[in-house]
Amino acid sequence: MSEHVPQIWVADLAKALAAVGDNPDRQYRVARMLGFGHAPPQPGPRPDPALAVPAHVPPAEEQPLRAPARLPGDTAVPPEPPPPEFEPGRYEGRTRPAGLPVLEPVDHDAPDPTDWATVPSLGQVTDRHLTARPPLEPLLTERSSTAILNAALTTLVRDDGEPDIDALVEAFARGIPLTRLPRAPRPTLRFGVQVLVDQGDGMQPYRRDQRELARRVTGLVGAELTQIRFFADAPNRGTGPASPRTWQPYRPPSPGTRVLVVSDLGVGGPVLHPRRASVAEWYRVCHEIVRAGCTVLALVPYPVNRVPGELTPLLSALTWDRTTTVSTVAALVGSRR
């Protein structure tokens, strides 16, 4: 059965207070019984004159302080005990409890002060430090770069070396007549090298390495047999030895010339590069070079597995970094001959 709570209004409280008389204790208890004793005071309309305190009641500061009467069923709250007073000699003379470890005093020496006068000061930053370029560390190791380039750029010419003794002995043993003297194949650089240097956005971090590589190739092959051609992103958009304003449509070199392509082949550079070369462009360029009787070697600053598979039948790709060795180049070039 649900409990029914009657609705009690302020008028009911006024009637009850008028009925109990002027006794404050009885007024307080009646107000508590009607549910008005616990509500905190809230701002609102002006109080009813019937509820005003009688004039003969003394002010609050003159009225003696008394505790409100406790209703039946109210639980008395005991007063909090005062904090214990500290006695300085209260624990002196007592025995130490057994089983507790004894803490021994530890001597601690303060660290020696640092003599900052003996510490050398850092040098002052000058304009030379702000404008000087750090030393270049080539992508190919310094001690083996010449050997690597020589193995990569030489062309193997058959029947141009010393007499091939093994071929002569085999011909004599079989009784085969000789119409010419068999000779062993010999690597040579006499057909020259054409270096295609990519200056597109994808190769911008390697500008100094490209110039150093072109200088080394020229010193190895010779200025008369070395052609340096610059382009941006793809050679079929124009190449030339100087400023882009002088670039002309690309033409392959004479037959037998090794073409060294220094480029990322369109796999590197910014993600949103608007002029990135496509695989179809590079395929047309490499196909034109091979059809002219030349061989293509690409020097790529990325792992060779990133080179598009459509280009691998037309060129040899070599990783341009310090992991490349002479044996790696010799195995790559020898497999393409």
Side-chain angles (χ1 to χ4, degrees), residues 64-115:
L65 182 63
R66 72 172 76 180
R70 186 164 56 87
L71 297 177
D74 291 349
T75 304
V77 180
E80 297 182 359
E85 298 180 358
F86 176 73
E87 299 178 6
R90 183 176 181 180
Y91 297 97
E92 295 180 0
R94 291 191 178 185
T95 58
R96 186 188 310 113
L100 295 179
V102 179
L103 300 179
E104 300 294 339
V106 179
D107 295 336
H108 177 70
D109 297 334
D112 298 334
T114 303
D115 187 7

Side-chain angles (χ1 to χ4, degrees), residues 40-48:
Q42 298 181 357
R46 300 183 61 181
D48 192 285

Side-chain angles (χ1 to χ4, degrees), residues 116-131:
W116 296 105
T118 61
V119 178
S121 301
L122 297 177
Q124 298 294 328
V125 178
T126 61
D127 294 340
R128 182 180 62 84
H129 295 90
L130 300 177
T131 58

Side-chain angles (χ1 to χ4, degrees), residues 144-184:
S144 59
S145 60
T146 301
I148 291 175
L149 292 176
N150 183 72
L153 301 179
T154 54
T155 302
L156 188 63
V157 181
R158 302 186 182 278
D159 297 334
D160 192 60
E162 299 292 332
D164 191 349
I165 304 300
D166 294 337
L168 287 174
V169 171
E170 184 177 1
F172 291 156
R174 294 185 177 185
I176 301 175
L178 297 177
T179 58
R180 59 182 180 84
L181 181 65
R183 295 180 177 273

